[in-house]
């Protein structure tokens, strides 16, 4: 029996963004997006858990921790294109400009591949100094270097998957976007243990498993856009680079790009502070913290990805009441998610730590880390939704500013103030302090922007 998605024609897919119940729409678009983003997080979580238990050396966990910000840079470059293109597609579809959406789609392919090949080449050449910059010690460097060299080829596939999964979702296929990610995650969950425990390939086995999984996922994603029956698909004449389109994509995509770049820069400073005040055990704790909170952050990002086409379409078509209703619902949902993460981190830190590591000293350090860093984690959901609200409306400057508040404006000063006075606990305490400060700034900017939109709506009515 055909599903609703199967019988909907392209026009119906878009019209529902402006007419269907807001909470049903957010559920329809966010649920598959949440599954998709969590599945993407599972790639790293599976690698961390399997590596931590397959290799009997505590330094391997520290090595994985050091690779996280480096891979984050690659993800940032993928988001620069993917998030920007998806937002622009939603807005122009809301304006009934399908031809421009096709041009955006065609230009995005070349941008993604070109940027991917460029950064992979540079990473491969300078991988050792880059890893040292991000806090690799002589003990953890060999593991980090081996993992990165094997996973680099798959990162351009990761970028293609992320970019076109977002566009697939924005053009009315949230369920299909979810299924493509599930296929890749399932493959990774099967292959990683086989390569590490069965073939004894060590840390490179986890990287190869991820590469193969990404190859399969990217194939399914790209096949969708070669299908002429899709709402939006590749069309001849749209692949020629249009610099106005490129600027528009990069302008909007700059916000999530800078979030990840800032996160990588901050991770470099944090890792070096941890190495100074707590050694490799403290850096290993970052694996536990990052992997744990990533699950909840990815759920919130999934909510935001589901929110994005609804906001973009209704903002483009002037339906502001639906805009506000979607924002309210997304904020409540996101705060509930991060509140659960905050409670779990506070009351079950040891169980979480033991999932990723075997060494008792590392587990003790990770437990202390989680108890301090997750105190105000519940606020993070609100801050992420607020930032994505501005991005979804094409207000890249404001989104970029909010992206940098926690990561740069607040975190860097705190890292120079608290650790010298409180040692390792001072490093961990930077997280809750910055969560609070960033949430306040986000609330103020949202209040001002909502008032501006309401005033504009009154002017139109008059």
């Amino acid at each position: 029996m055909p599903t609703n998605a199967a019988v909907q024609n392209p026009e119906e897919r878009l019209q529902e963004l402006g007419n269907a119940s807001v909470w049903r729409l957010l559920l329809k678009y966010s649920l598959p997006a949440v599954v998709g983003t969590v599945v993407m997080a599972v790639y790293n979580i599976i690698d961390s858990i399997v590596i931590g238990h397959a290799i009997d050396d505590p330094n391997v966990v520290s090595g994985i921790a050091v690779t996280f910000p480096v891979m984050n840079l690659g993800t940032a470059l993928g988001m620069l294109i993917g998030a920007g293109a998806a937002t622009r597609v939603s807005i122009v579809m809301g304006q009934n400009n399908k031809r421009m959406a096709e041009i955006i789609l065609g230009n995005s392919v070349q941008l993604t591949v070109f940027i991917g090949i460029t950064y992979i080449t540079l990473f491969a050449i300078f991988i050792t100094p880059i890893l040292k910059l991000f806090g690799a010690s002589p003990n953890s460097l060999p593991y980090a270097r081996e993992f990165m060299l094997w996973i680099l080829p798959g990162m351009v596939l990761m970028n293609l998957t992320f970019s076109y999964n977002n566009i697939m979702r924005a053009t009315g296929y949230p369920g299909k976007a979810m299924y493509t990610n599930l296929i890749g995650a399932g493959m990774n969950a099967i292959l990683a243990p086989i390569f590490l425990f069965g073939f004894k390939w060590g840390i490179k086995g986890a990287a190869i498993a991820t590469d193969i999984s990404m190859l399969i996922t990217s194939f399914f994603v790209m096949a969708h856009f070669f299908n002429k029956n899709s709402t939006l698909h590749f069309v001849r004449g749209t692949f020629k680079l249009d610099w106005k389109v490129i600027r528009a994509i990069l302008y909007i995509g700059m916000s999530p790009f800078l979030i990840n770049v800032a996160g990588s820069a901050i991770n470099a400073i944090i890792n070096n502070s941890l190495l100074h005040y707590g050694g490799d055990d403290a850096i290993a704790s970052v694996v536990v913290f990052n992997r744990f909170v990533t699950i909840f952050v990815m759920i919130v990002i999934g909510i935001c990805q589901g929110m994005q086409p609804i906001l973009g379409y209704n903002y483009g078509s002037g339906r502001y009441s639906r805009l506000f209703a979607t924002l309210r619902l997304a904020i409540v949902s996101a705060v509930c998610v991060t509140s659960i993460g905050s409670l779990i981190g506070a009351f079950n830190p040891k169980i979480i730590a033991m999932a990723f590591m075997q060494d008792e000293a590392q587990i003790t350090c990770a437990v202390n880390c989680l108890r301090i860093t997750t105190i105000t984690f519940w606020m993070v959901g609100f801050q992420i939704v607020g930032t994505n609200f501005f991005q979804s409306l094409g207000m890249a400057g404001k989104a970029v500013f909010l992206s940098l508040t926690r990561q740069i404006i607040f975190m860097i000063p705190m890292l120079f103030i608290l650790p010298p006075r409180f040692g390792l606990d001072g490093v961990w305490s930077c997280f809750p302090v910055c969560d609070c400060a960033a949430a306040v700034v986000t609330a103020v900017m949202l209040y001002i922007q909502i008032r501006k939109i309401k005033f504009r709506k009154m002017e139109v009515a008059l």
Side-chain angles (χ1 to χ4, degrees):
M1 184 174 180
T3 62
N4 289 337
V7 299
Q8 275 187 310
N9 60 44
E11 289 73 23
E12 289 173 335
R13 289 181 186 278
L14 296 175
Q15 287 174 4
E16 72 172 359
L17 291 171
N19 300 313
S21 165
V22 167
W23 75 267
R24 288 182 183 276
L25 268 180
L26 189 61
L27 182 64
K28 176 181 177 179
Y29 277 77
S30 291
L31 187 58
V34 165
V35 174
T37 53
V38 170
V39 163
M40 294 297 285
V42 167
Y43 279 101
N44 289 327
I45 292 171
I46 290 172
D47 287 344
S48 299
I49 292 175
V50 173
I51 290 169
H53 289 277
I55 302 174
D56 190 18
D57 184 349
N59 292 310
V60 73
V61 183
S62 305
I64 289 296
V66 173
T67 66
F68 183 78
V70 182
M71 291 183 66
N72 209 29
L73 283 175
T75 303
L77 289 163
M79 294 179 78
L80 178 64
I81 309 303
T87 300
R88 286 301 305 161
V89 164
S90 292
I91 292 173
V92 298
M93 285 295 220
Q95 297 167 344
N96 295 315
N97 191 348
K98 187 178 181 181
R99 179 61 180 174
M100 179 54 68
E102 291 170 346
I103 294 172
I104 293 169
L105 186 71
N107 276 239
S108 299
V109 176
Q110 297 188 64
L111 281 175
T112 303
V113 173
F114 173 76
I115 290 175
I117 292 174
T118 301
Y119 80 73
I120 286 172
T121 302
L122 292 173
F123 279 10
I125 295 171
F126 301 106
I127 191 62
T128 298
I130 289 173
L131 289 170
K132 287 181 178 178
L133 177 66
F134 284 104
S137 70
N139 295 326
S140 62
L141 179 60
Y143 290 113
R145 190 174 186 279
E146 183 179 9
F147 184 78
M148 284 305 305
L149 288 176
W150 281 96
I151 207 168
L152 277 176
M155 290 184 70
V156 69
L157 299 174
M158 189 181 297
N159 291 160
L160 277 173
T161 298
F162 181 86
S163 297
Y164 284 89
N165 228 278
N166 278 344
I167 298 173
M168 186 188 296
R169 189 178 299 108
T171 51
Y173 296 88
K176 195 171 184 180
M178 174 185 71
Y179 298 140
T180 54
N181 278 333
L182 282 173
I183 292 168
M187 288 298 301
N188 196 43
I190 294 169
L191 294 176
I194 292 174
F195 291 167
L196 271 86
F197 291 105
F199 295 172
K200 307 292 183 183
W201 283 356
I203 200 169
K204 75 177 182 182
I208 294 172
T210 301
D211 291 340
I212 294 173
S213 302
M214 277 297 169
L215 176 63
I216 294 169
T217 305
S218 62
F219 172 80
F220 279 98
V221 171
M222 299 309 292
H224 169 83
F225 291 101
F226 280 100
N227 185 346
K228 292 183 179 181
N229 293 323
S230 299
T231 303
L232 189 67
H233 56 268
F234 294 123
V235 177
R236 285 185 180 181
T238 60
F239 294 95
K240 184 180 179 180
L241 291 178
D242 184 322
W243 295 108
K244 288 184 179 180
V245 171
I246 292 172
R247 281 196 297 270
I249 291 172
L250 297 180
Y251 179 70
I252 296 176
M254 193 60 65
S255 171
F257 168 74
L258 288 177
I259 290 176
N260 281 271
V261 170
S264 294
I266 290 301
N267 274 329
I269 299 173
I270 291 173
N271 284 350
N272 282 284
S273 294
L274 292 173
L275 193 61
H276 178 71
Y277 292 103
D280 283 325
D281 287 349
I283 291 182
S285 299
V286 174
V287 171
V288 180
F289 169 72
N290 278 332
R291 298 303 190 252
F292 171 68
V293 300
T294 293
I295 296 172
F296 300 95
V297 168
M298 284 300 182
I299 293 174
V300 174
I301 289 175
I303 292 171
C304 291
Q305 288 180 353
M307 171 186 78
Q308 180 265 318
I310 305 170
L311 291 182
Y313 187 92
N314 286 285
Y315 183 70
S317 57
R319 296 176 171 91
Y320 298 134
S321 59
R322 293 175 60 79
L323 187 82
F324 300 139
T326 305
L327 175 63
R328 286 194 299 269
L329 189 55
I331 288 174
V332 171
S333 303
V335 171
C336 286
V337 169
T338 47
S339 295
I340 293 171
S342 213
L343 291 171
I344 295 174
F347 294 105
N348 297 283
K350 189 167 184 178
I351 294 174
I352 299 165
M354 290 174 65
F356 292 90
M357 49 185 53
Q358 305 175 62
D359 185 77
E360 282 298 325
Q362 287 185 344
I363 291 172
T364 300
C365 188
V367 166
N368 186 49
C369 161
L370 286 171
R371 281 180 174 154
I372 297 174
T373 55
T374 57
I375 293 173
T376 55
F377 179 65
W378 60 273
M379 297 181 179
V380 172
F382 168 72
Q383 210 263 339
I384 294 174
V385 171
T387 301
N388 277 269
F389 173 76
F390 289 104
Q391 179 188 320
S392 298
L393 303 192
M395 300 176 184
K398 294 176 181 179
V400 168
F401 173 75
L402 284 178
S403 302
L404 299 179
T405 53
R406 181 185 182 277
Q407 304 273 38
I408 300 292
I409 298 173
F410 298 126
M411 184 64 82
I412 290 180
M414 288 299 102
L415 284 169
F416 286 100
I417 294 171
L418 297 180
R421 296 193 62 181
F422 303 104
L424 183 57
D425 283 351
V427 181
W428 302 136
S429 298
C430 293
F431 291 85
V433 170
C434 295
D435 289 343
C436 292
V440 171
V441 173
T442 302
V444 171
M445 288 188 64
L446 269 179
Y447 176 77
I448 294 171
Q449 188 61 49
I450 289 170
R451 282 181 61 87
K452 285 182 179 180
I453 295 175
K454 286 182 176 179
F455 183 71
R456 184 188 309 165
K457 183 179 179 181
M458 290 173 61
E459 284 186 326
V460 171
L462 293 173

